Amino acid sequence: MPEKKRPNVPRILPPHLFFLTAALMLGIGYWETGGFGVRYWPLGLTIFGIWMAAREKNRFVAAGTSFYPGEDAHKLITYGAYRFTRNPMYLGMVLGLIGLWPLTGGYWPVVPFVLFISIITIRFILPEERRLEELFGDEYRTYKSKVRRWL
C-alpha cells in the first residue's frame, strides 16, 4: 500500500537534520582531533534530549493532532514541556547535539551545530509560528507572550 502523501510536509524533516548534524559533528571532530574525546558523561544529555523530543511528539499523537511541520494542527498543546518552551521537540534535538559535542574533542563541530539551529529556526520554527497564529489567533498569541521560543 503506498504511503499517504503529505503535501505541505518538507521532504527533509528535523529528525533527518538532527542525525545529519550529529554525523557531521562527529566526523568533523574526528577529522580535527584524530579521534574521539574521553568526555562521555555528556552523552546523558544526548539521551535526555532524544527522550524529551520523542515524549513531546507523543503528546501531539495523544491529542490527535499533527506533529509534522507544514501540516495544520487541530489543537494547541500548552501542557507538559510546552509550559516552559514553545519548541520542546527542537530543544530536545539541540540538547542531544550539545551532549555529543564534548565527545568530538574539537572546536569545529560548532559549525554544523550553529547551522542546525539556524535552519531549524528559519525553515521550521518561524513558519510554524506564523501558521499557528493564523490557526489559533489570540489563543496562540497569549501563549507566545507567556512561553519563550527556546527556554
Side-chain angles (χ1 to χ4, degrees):
M1 184 161 102
E3 187 176 325
K4 184 173 102 174
K5 176 107 169 82
R6 298 176 183 279
N8 298 327
V9 176
R11 287 179 174 247
I12 298 177
L13 295 170
H16 302 136
L17 292 173
F18 168 79
F19 289 114
L20 175 64
T21 303
L24 284 171
M25 288 176 67
L26 292 171
I28 290 170
Y30 188 83
W31 170 76
E32 180 183 358
T33 63
F36 291 114
V38 292
R39 297 177 203 100
Y40 296 105
W41 62 268
L43 288 177
L45 186 58
T46 298
I47 293 166
F48 173 76
I50 292 169
W51 171 81
M52 184 172 91
R55 184 188 72 178
E56 297 307 320
K57 176 209 150 248
N58 287 337
R59 288 193 197 281
F60 278 76
V61 173
T65 192
S66 177
F67 57 87
Y68 286 102
E71 278 192 350
D72 288 347
H74 305 296
K75 183 177 180 187
L76 185 63
I77 308 295
T78 58
Y79 51 91
Y82 293 91
R83 293 175 301 171
F84 310 107
T85 173
R86 295 194 311 259
N87 299 289
M89 286 184 268
Y90 298 139
L91 179 61
M93 291 181 218
V94 166
L95 292 175
L97 294 173
I98 290 171
L100 283 181
W101 192 357
L103 180 64
T104 70
Y107 296 103
W108 284 105
V110 73
V111 173
F113 175 74
V114 170
L115 285 172
F116 175 82
I117 292 173
S118 300
I119 291 168
I120 289 295
T121 301
I122 294 166
R123 179 70 176 98
F124 295 99
I125 292 175
L126 295 176
E128 285 174 14
E129 287 182 346
R130 285 191 295 272
R131 189 69 186 133
L132 289 169
E133 219 167 292
E134 290 172 10
L135 290 169
F136 298 105
D138 288 336
E139 182 184 4
Y140 181 70
R141 282 188 281 280
T142 300
Y143 171 68
K144 190 174 162 181
S145 71
K146 293 179 181 178
V147 179
R148 294 181 182 192
R149 179 178 288 154
W150 289 103
L151 267 184

